[in-house]
Amino acid sequence: MAGSKLVLEGRISIISFISGLGVNIIPLLVNFGAHIDWVFDYLTDVNGKIAIAAYITVINGFLLVIYKGPLYKVAVRACFLGFAFGCGLILSFADTTWTHFGWYMCSLSFFHYSEYLVTAIINPRSLSLDSFLLNHSVEYTVAAISSWIEFTVEKLLIPEMKQMDWLCLVGLVMVLCGESLRKAAMLTAGSNFNHIVQNEKAQSHVLVTTGVYALFRHPSYVGWFYWSIGTQIMLCNPICLLGYTIASWRFFRERIEEEEISLIHFFGEDYIEYKKVVFTGLPFISGIRVNS
């Protein structure tokens, strides 16, 4: 049953993501072989906006006809993320001052889509709409919107502040490394990975100490932490960089302590010994204290 869920919903998400990504072909169909700068100009023109609206309408109608109920909800989310990724690609390669925001759009949309896809691969029994992490929390949504507002306001008031290419590249490297570490952690943990902290041990639950787990006790959190900070360095957002660093650190400190209570309950001395030799991976976070 879990295997069929992986095949069905995973395939639907891939098809829908690619369908959303198809926004890139709109201007190319209008003028085959056009330069990417023209692509950007076209999509920001009135005709381009009409073409995008028509494309979204057609794709949404297609998804409504093909998929019903929960499957449509999966498809429309994946399609939206593909569309955002496609728009990010256009901004990334166009000759525009919004290039770094294009990097950000690609990073954000790929992060959320890959969370769902990798979960479908490693642990289809836990797969749900929440696996996209689009509704992670109110705080997460507020943080994202705040970063968009800060970027836009500072770009309008201090445009040169958003053109520090070397700093944006540092952020991009942090994003790529953080994303890679998190997905490596998910794939290494396999069916042991879950977006929700588990309070009861499943029969298949084992203590993973190999791969990236030999480097950090909580590699998925380490990856997410540096990914989130990297997005704000990439956008040259000083206010949100400080806010993201503090908020993420506090969130993962509490999350790690909560999770380690369960892990010690599940694995006892094995986890305590593992805890002694491998650190969490996050600065100034040691995890739950265990009395000797």
Side-chain angles (χ1 to χ4, degrees):
M1 187 70 178
S4 62
K5 187 175 186 179
L6 159 62
V7 173
L8 180 59
E9 297 192 12
R11 183 174 59 188
I12 289 173
S13 72
I14 292 172
I15 294 173
S16 301
F17 184 85
I18 293 174
S19 298
L21 188 60
V23 66
N24 286 282
I25 70 171
I26 296 173
L28 300 182
L29 291 177
V30 176
N31 189 352
F32 180 77
H35 191 270
I36 193 67
D37 294 345
W38 181 89
V39 172
F40 175 74
D41 292 338
Y42 176 80
L43 290 180
T44 54
D45 194 4
V46 175
N47 291 335
K49 292 176 182 177
I50 294 174
I52 290 175
Y55 180 82
I56 293 174
T57 302
V58 170
I59 291 298
N60 186 55
F62 175 76
L63 295 177
L64 273 171
V65 171
I66 300 300
Y67 305 119
K68 304 296 182 182
L71 295 182
Y72 169 74
K73 294 179 180 179
V74 171
V76 76
R77 283 163 175 76
C79 183
F80 166 74
L81 292 172
F83 174 78
F85 188 87
C87 291
L89 283 179
I90 292 172
L91 288 176
S92 298
F93 291 101
D95 184 16
T96 170
T97 57
W98 290 84
T99 297
H100 301 140
F101 196 80
W103 296 359
Y104 169 81
M105 289 181 66
C106 289
S107 303
L108 185 65
S109 55
F110 182 79
F111 172 82
H112 285 287
Y113 172 69
S114 60
E115 286 291 307
Y116 183 90
L117 183 62
V118 174
T119 302
I121 294 171
I122 63 171
N123 194 3
R125 292 183 183 277
S126 69
L127 190 65
S128 69
L129 286 177
D130 291 338
S131 300
F132 282 109
L133 296 185
L134 290 171
N135 57 339
H136 180 270
S137 65
V138 174
E139 293 81 3
Y140 184 84
T141 303
V142 170
I145 295 174
S146 298
S147 72
W148 308 339
I149 294 174
E150 180 183 352
F151 179 86
T152 304
V153 171
E154 290 174 350
K155 187 178 184 305
L156 292 174
L157 298 179
I158 321 172
E160 62 275 11
M161 181 180 178
K162 301 301 180 182
Q163 298 306 312
M164 294 186 284
D165 292 343
W166 67 270
L167 186 60
C168 296
L169 282 172
V170 170
L172 179 61
V173 170
M174 288 181 65
V175 164
L176 294 175
C177 291
E179 173 77 10
S180 299
L181 178 59
R182 179 166 172 84
K183 295 311 182 289
M186 293 174 68
L187 291 168
T188 302
S191 62
N192 297 286
F193 183 89
N194 199 303
H195 284 119
I196 301 173
V197 175
Q198 301 297 291
N199 296 316
E200 295 184 7
K201 182 182 178 183
Q203 280 188 330
S204 61
H205 201 170
V206 297
L207 178 60
V208 180
T209 59
T210 58
V212 289
Y213 286 87
L215 302 174
F216 312 116
R217 290 207 308 275
H218 301 278
S220 66
Y221 296 157
V222 176
W224 197 352
F225 177 76
Y226 286 107
W227 175 89
S228 66
I229 294 175
T231 61
Q232 298 314 297
I233 294 177
M234 188 164 61
L235 292 176
C236 298
N237 280 353
I239 298 174
C240 280
L241 173 59
L242 178 62
Y244 271 52
T245 302
I246 295 173
S248 296
W249 186 88
R250 292 182 61 182
F251 171 79
F252 288 121
R253 182 192 61 182
E254 295 173 1
R255 178 89 171 204
I256 285 173
E257 290 181 354
E258 178 188 359
E259 186 171 305
E260 290 197 337
I261 291 174
S262 295
L263 290 171
I264 291 173
H265 175 68
F266 293 165
F267 304 111
E269 285 298 324
D270 288 341
Y271 188 80
I272 293 175
E273 290 302 313
Y274 170 62
K275 187 177 185 298
K276 290 179 181 178
V277 297
V278 180
F279 82 122
T280 62
L282 291 170
F284 309 109
I285 297 180
S286 58
I288 194 73
R289 294 183 178 181
V290 180
N291 295 326
S292 302

